[in-house]
Amino acid sequence: MRLDSVAFRYGRRGPWVLRDVSLTLRPGDIIELTGPNGAGKSTLLRLLAGLHRPRRGAITGRPASIGYAPERFPTDQPFTVHAYLAHMSALHGLPPSAADHWTDLLNLDHLLHTSLAELSKGSAQKVGFIQALLPAPALLLLDEPFSGLDATTLALLPELLASLAADGATIVISDHQRVLHQPEALPLLPNLRQWHLADTTISEQPLRAGAHSLTVTPSTPVSDLPTGPTAISASTESDTVRADYRNPDAHHTALADESPGRSDLPDKQNSTEQHQSPAARQVLPGHAGSGRTDPAESRRRSTHEIPPEHQNPRESSPAGGQGPAGSAEAPPGWTVLEVVVRVDEADDIERGLRAAGRMVRRVDRP
Amino acid sequence: MIALIRFQIDGYLRSMRFLPSLITTLLLVLLVFGQWPSGPDPVKLATGTYGDAAAFMVPLSAWTTRSLLDTQPTVQRWLTMLAVPRSAVAGLLAALVASGAVSLLLFAAPLLQALTVGVPLETTVAAVFLAALACVAGTALGAWTSRAIIPGAGTSLLALLCALTATLLLGLGRLNFLAIPYLDWIKAAHDGPSALRASLPGVMLHLGLWCAVVVSGYLVALHRRNIPT
């Protein structure tokens, strides 16, 4: 599928939303669409779907089978979940039971006889997501599909998307939550590409580390550090901990990874640290992980090498309920949020929080 | 396409948006067609009610069509368009089914009266064709004022009322070829069975062409829109 010099605006005299956009989408691609609010991500998805027609240029090679999950699923319809999905299945020439697999997978079975209007935001998103998956689309367009979803579902989706892409689907996702950047997700998505949309143009940006690395030691001048770094992976080497960074725009977070390494490093998986200043950035407690990035800023990455004695064990310790019991202290720039959850959902929530790079301490474990 | 027709009609029924059309139809049946034809020439009177019923079918069908087509929210209509490429045609057919049901209910009383008082069968058959075309004309008019063409609810309602008035008033002047020929068929029907049969070929040709142009224009307008609403 190709976009050749595509331009689009709403109305004959409206401002251009997209200008001179030329892109190629290949089967198996998973494309993450990023950009600030109002940049035109949803518009581009609708153009790709064929719902909007370019004012200039052309889109060719669009597959016949398209799945589109809108940003806000239209719940103001007089159907139950089951009736709606049965109708949508019928539209695709499928039996009413075609959605059963997806409702089971996404844990929507208990809501099948609930009216669409009564669904929570997350459940409505699931219905929107399922209807997009029904036709086994060759082009799957997801507009903020992860918004409002629970941690269990979020953890499922990267593998699901990877599986669809492996079957030849082209997937384009607008996602502010960076679910695809979870440490568990990235290895599953070798074909992940990133398009950044800003100022009416799209640029494709590399996702992986390595292009612009910077080795940092405790003596590295602060001015040489990348601004607002986010650790996305880490490894340990001899006496140092090395963490790769990528520049974010707003989420200045360094996250712990579970890279195998020194046994004396206290739980590298879950340590997090918010970097509000270059000085704070130099404190990287034996960890790394997946983080949030904004390619609008740059692709700068750095490698910090910090001797273990510079690490703050408390910041990196409270994993899996194994942190200091009763500790309620947080590193500088962080705060402690106490949350009480049901026993049966605790594991899922804990896993989700850890995946997002947050420190978690369980009081029901020693 | 059949699946989409079923989807739209199911949504229309579940949403209860059919109630205004249904209540209006029942009121018309009770108040206008409730009186049994009597007097010196009940056949002529009964034939006249055929023409009246067909005229009432136009606004009723237009209203029903607009309600049905507007039942789906805009985003759902997008999803439908992706699933069924000819969703505009399916929407029109669904609207025609709903309008047909309302029209049948409206036509039942005049039909019963005409059969009872002995209106010739050929006249009744001709009146059925006329009613069917009137129903199509109303459906086409309603489709033009649906959200897919006119997004604002208030604007579309105003447009519907203006269009209905225009199609009536245009019949009085030189631009009568643009009008729905209500006046022609009402006059012919009230002149009796033979007058109705005599005028019907011309009326139906006019109405058929009118419907073809308006329906085609609607489909082309939807197809050419850069941004579906």
Side-chain angles (χ1 to χ4, degrees):
Chain A
M1 182 172 171
R2 278 189 57 80
L3 286 77
D4 291 309
S5 304
V6 166
F8 182 82
R9 63 182 171 187
Y10 291 94
R12 291 180 188 276
R13 295 182 181 177
W16 288 103
V17 181
L18 296 169
R19 262 182 170 164
D20 200 26
V21 173
S22 296
L23 295 163
T24 303
L25 295 89
R26 298 179 296 264
D29 276 349
I30 299 177
I31 295 160
E32 185 190 39
L33 194 58
T34 63
N37 292 335
K41 299 186 292 296
S42 298
T43 302
L44 177 63
L45 289 175
R46 288 177 211 142
L47 279 163
L48 291 170
L51 293 168
H52 292 183
R53 196 173 299 160
R55 299 272 176 184
R56 295 177 190 161
I59 300 176
T60 54
R62 184 185 285 116
S65 170
I66 299 172
Y68 170 65
E71 182 179 5
R72 294 186 199 90
F73 176 75
T75 52
D76 50 339
Q77 299 186 68
F79 297 105
T80 61
V81 172
H82 180 264
Y84 174 78
L85 290 174
H87 275 301
M88 290 305 288
S89 300
L91 294 190
H92 294 293
L94 301 169
S97 61
D100 291 356
H101 167 68
W102 300 113
T103 54
D104 180 42
L105 185 72
L106 298 180
N107 194 26
L108 204 62
D109 280 341
H110 64 293
L111 295 174
L112 282 178
H113 298 290
T114 304
S115 161
L116 289 177
E118 293 170 6
L119 292 178
S120 69
K121 182 183 177 185
S123 300
Q125 285 297 94
K126 287 182 185 177
V127 177
F129 190 54
I130 290 172
Q131 65 78 26
L133 294 172
L134 281 174
L139 176 63
L140 180 59
L141 304 163
L142 306 173
D143 196 351
E144 298 291 348
F146 307 123
S147 174
L149 294 185
D150 55 74
T152 310
T153 311
L154 282 177
L156 280 173
L157 291 184
E159 191 172 353
L160 173 61
L161 297 178
S163 155
L164 292 169
D167 289 342
T170 304
I171 302 170
V172 185
I173 304 172
S174 154
D175 173 28
H176 274 111
Q177 292 181 284
R178 303 301 171 96
V179 171
L180 302 183
H181 289 262
Q182 291 176 8
E184 299 86 351
L186 277 172
L188 295 170
L189 307 168
N191 291 344
L192 184 62
R193 298 163 66 189
Q194 193 171 45
W195 289 354
H196 184 67
L197 183 54
D199 298 328
T200 72
T201 58
I202 294 178
S203 53
E204 179 155 6
Q205 304 193 332
L207 274 170
R208 304 290 173 181
H212 304 285
S213 40
L214 169 69
T215 300
V216 180
T217 67
S219 59
T220 301
V222 166
S223 58
D224 285 354
L225 289 173
T227 56
T230 297
I232 63 162
S233 65
S235 62
T236 57
E237 293 176 359
S238 64
D239 291 332
T240 64
V241 178
R242 203 175 77 181
D244 284 89
Y245 280 84
R246 183 181 297 173
N247 252 2
D249 57 342
H251 308 281
H252 304 303
T253 312
L255 304 173
D257 195 2
E258 49 191 333
S259 311
R262 292 163 51 88
S263 58
D264 57 341
L265 291 177
D267 193 350
K268 296 183 292 296
Q269 182 176 357
N270 300 288
S271 172
T272 61
E273 176 183 67
Q274 189 161 21
H275 291 253
Q276 301 290 2
S277 69
R281 272 181 248 134
Q282 295 213 50
V283 182
L284 185 67
H287 58 245
S290 123
R292 297 160 190 250
T293 66
D294 187 341
E297 192 126 348
S298 76
R299 299 287 89 206
R300 279 184 297 171
R301 301 168 57 80
S302 70
T303 302
H304 283 210
E305 295 185 0
I306 299 170
E309 61 268 23
H310 286 239
Q311 300 164 28
N312 182 344
R314 190 176 59 211
E315 290 175 5
S316 56
S317 62
Q322 295 160 15
S327 167
E329 297 178 51
W334 289 77
T335 189
V336 174
L337 176 69
E338 289 188 352
V339 181
V340 178
V341 300
R342 291 201 316 266
V343 172
D344 60 331
E345 65 182 9
D347 287 341
D348 287 341
I349 292 174
E350 181 187 358
R351 207 165 22 246
L353 285 168
R354 292 191 186 289
R358 301 292 182 263
M359 292 180 279
V360 179
R361 183 173 64 79
R362 289 278 292 269
V363 296
D364 61 345
R365 290 183 186 163
Chain B
M1 192 178 286
I2 290 172
L4 179 52
I5 293 170
R6 289 175 60 184
F7 185 25
Q8 292 200 303
I9 291 176
D10 192 15
Y12 181 62
L13 294 176
R14 285 175 188 246
S15 68
M16 300 288 175
R17 291 171 71 103
F18 65 93
L19 280 177
S21 294
L22 180 65
I23 291 168
T24 309
T25 305
L26 290 176
L27 283 175
L28 275 173
V29 168
L30 284 173
L31 299 176
V32 181
F33 303 116
Q35 280 188 318
W36 211 254
S38 58
D41 196 349
V43 171
K44 193 174 173 183
L45 278 177
T47 308
T49 57
Y50 276 149
D52 298 340
F56 279 121
M57 277 177 200
V58 176
L60 262 179
S61 299
W63 179 263
T64 304
T65 298
R66 181 176 170 275
S67 298
L68 183 138
L69 293 179
D70 286 356
T71 303
Q72 282 197 342
T74 300
V75 176
Q76 179 56 46
R77 201 162 52 248
W78 293 351
L79 301 177
T80 304
M81 285 165 64
L82 291 175
V84 181
R86 292 180 184 173
S87 59
V89 177
L92 270 183
L93 290 176
L96 201 56
V97 170
S99 301
V102 170
S103 298
L104 197 63
L105 191 60
L106 184 70
F107 204 65
L111 189 64
L112 186 64
Q113 291 169 1
L115 292 176
T116 308
V117 300
V119 173
L121 191 61
E122 308 89 69
T123 306
T124 297
V125 171
V128 167
F129 279 113
L130 174 66
L133 268 181
C135 179
V136 174
T139 300
L141 208 57
W144 266 100
T145 58
S146 66
R147 196 189 295 132
I149 300 286
I150 305 173
T155 312
S156 73
L157 179 58
L158 194 63
L160 178 59
L161 293 174
C162 289
L164 286 169
T165 309
T167 54
L168 176 66
L169 295 182
L170 282 172
L172 299 171
R174 290 181 182 176
L175 296 175
N176 60 358
F177 61 94
L178 294 175
I180 293 175
Y182 307 96
L183 300 175
D184 295 345
W185 83 60
I186 289 173
K187 184 175 181 306
H190 281 276
D191 285 346
S194 55
L196 179 62
R197 283 201 304 274
S199 69
L200 218 50
V203 166
M204 289 185 67
L205 179 64
H206 181 169
L207 197 53
L209 287 173
W210 191 94
C211 290
V213 169
V214 174
V215 168
S216 305
Y218 169 73
L219 295 175
V220 169
L222 275 191
H223 183 70
R224 293 188 63 172
R225 287 178 80 88
N226 286 332
I227 306 158
T229 53

